[in-house]
C-alpha cells in the first residue's frame, strides 16, 4: 500500500474577532501519498492558502483551529513549537507566490540559502555556502558562484523564485507546498519554473501540494485535485476524472468558462463568491447555481463519494 505522508481530517478554522468567530475553513479532509501531487484549486479567498499555512503552522494568532493534520503519523496541530521548527523547512517546505516578500532584502541570497542549511543540517558556514552554490546550480541559476552574492533586488522575479525553490529543497523535504508559485511571473518564465519544480520533485520523489487558480496547471502538474469554494472542498477526484467527468455545478462552471480542451485561467461564473460573514444558509454555492431548490437553500449538503475516489458536495451530482 502506498505510504500516506499527509492526512488532513475535519480541519476547521475560524478567525476570532470582536463580534465572535468567523468560520473560514470548514470540514477540510484530504490526504497525500508519497510522491503524489495534489492540487487545490479555487478563486482567491476560498481558503487554499490558509489550508497551506495551517499545514506549516504559520497562522496569525487570532485563529481557532481544530481537526487533525497528520504528517508522517504526527498531528502537527498538537506538537510543540520547537518540534514544529524541526519539521518546517526541513520536512515540509513551502514556495510562496511572491518571493520578494519572502526573501530578506538586506541579506544576500547565498546567505539566506546557507541559513536554511545551517539551521537544519548543522553544516559549517563554509560548507553551507558551498552547498548553496550547488543548489543554485540545481535550480539553473547561471553563474551561481557570482550570483550567490546578489541581494534579492538585483535578481529578476524568475531568478528570485529559483532562489526560493533552492531554499525550499535545500533539506530535501518530504512534502513541498507551492502556493501559486508562478502567478507573479511572466508567462514564459512560468512554464520554466513549473518544469523546474516538476524535475526536482521527480528527482527527489517529493510529495507536493500545489495551490493554484489555474486549471491548465492542475491539468499538467497534478495527480489528484480538489475544488475549493468558501472554505469547503466541493469536489475531489483524480485529476483525469475531475477534468473529464466533473460532477459539481461549480466545477462544471469553471470548466465551461474555459476554451474547449484548453484549460486556461479561471473566468468568473455568474454572480459573486459570497462574503464569509454572510454565506447562504444551505449550499454555499446556491446563490450562483441554476439547479438550486428549496433543499439546497435550507440544508448544506455533505461531501459524498459518488464513484470510486470521486467525492462531491451536491444533492444533484
Ligand atoms: S446542492 Fe443544490 S445549489 Fe448546491 S451545487 Fe448542488 S444543485 Fe446547486
Amino acid at each position: 500500500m502506498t505510504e500516506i505522508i499527509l492526512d488532513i481530517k475535519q480541519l476547521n478554522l475560524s478567525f476570532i474577532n470582536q463580534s465572535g468567530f468567523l468560520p473560514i475553513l470548514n470540514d477540510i479532509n484530504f490526504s497525500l501519498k508519497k510522491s503524489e501531487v495534489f492540487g487545490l484549486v479555487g478563486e482567491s479567498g476560498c481558503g487554499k492558502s490558509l489550508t497551506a499555512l495551517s499545514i506549516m503552522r504559520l497562522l496569525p494568532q487570532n485563529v481557532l483551529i481544530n481537526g487533525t493534520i497528520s504528517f508522517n503519523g504526527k498531528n502537527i496541530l498538537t506538537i510543540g513549537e520547537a518540534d514544529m521548527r524541526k519539521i518546517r523547512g526541513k520536512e515540509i517546505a513551502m514556495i510562496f507566490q511572491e518571493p520578494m516578500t519572502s526573501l530578506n532584502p538586506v541579506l544576500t541570497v547565498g546567505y539566506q540559502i546557507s541559513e536554511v542549511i545551517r539551521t537544519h543540517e548543522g553544516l559549517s558556514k563554509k560548507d553551507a555556502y558551498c552547498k548553496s552554490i550547488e543548489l543554485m546550480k540545481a535550480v539553473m541559476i547561471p553563474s551561481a558562484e557570482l550570483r550567490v552574492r546578489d541581494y534579492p533586488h538585483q535578481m529578476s522575479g524568475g531568478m528570485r523564485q529559483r532562489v526560493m525553490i533552492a531554499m525550499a529543497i535545500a533539506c530535501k523535504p518530504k512534502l513541498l507546498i507551492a502556493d501559486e508559485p508562478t502567478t507573479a511571473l511572466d508567462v514564459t518564465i512560468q512554464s520554466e519554473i513549473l518544469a523546474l519544480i516538476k524535475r526536482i520533485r521527480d528527482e527527489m520523489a517529493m510529495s507536493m501540494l500545489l495551490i493554484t487558480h489555474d486549471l491548465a496547471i492542475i491539468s499538467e502538474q497534478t495527480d489528484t485535485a480538489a475544488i475549493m469554494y468558501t472554505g469547503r472542498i466541493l469536489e475531489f477526484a483524480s485529476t483525469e476524472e475531475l477534468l473529464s467527468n466533473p460532477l459539481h455545478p461549480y466545477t462544471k462552471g469553471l470548466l465551461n468558462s474555459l476554451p474547449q480542451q484548453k484549460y486556461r485561467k479561471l473566468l468568473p461564473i455568474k454572480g459573486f463568491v459570497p462574503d464569509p460573514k454572510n454565506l447562504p444558509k444551505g449550499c454555499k454555492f446556491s446563490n450562483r447555481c441554476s439547479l438550486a431548490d428549496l433543499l439546497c437553500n435550507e440544508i448544506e449538503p455533505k461531501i459524498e463519494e459518488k464513484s470510486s475516489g470521486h467525492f462531491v458536495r451536491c444533492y444533484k451530482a
Side-chain angles (χ1 to χ4, degrees), residues 129-159:
Y129 204 69
C130 292
K131 191 169 173 191
S132 303
I133 295 171
E134 291 310 310
L135 282 162
M136 287 176 69
K137 286 180 183 167
V139 296
M140 316 289 282
I141 294 179
S143 311
E145 290 87 350
L146 298 175
R147 304 225 62 179
V148 71
R149 294 189 213 110
D150 279 3
Y151 290 88
H153 73 270
Q154 294 173 295
M155 295 185 135
S156 65
M159 285 298 150

Side-chain angles (χ1 to χ4, degrees), residues 251-265:
T251 315
K252 288 181 186 174
L254 293 176
L255 289 166
N256 285 341
S257 63
L258 306 173
Q260 205 66 26
Q261 305 302 327
K262 262 200 153 197
Y263 305 120
R264 300 308 318 159
K265 277 189 182 169

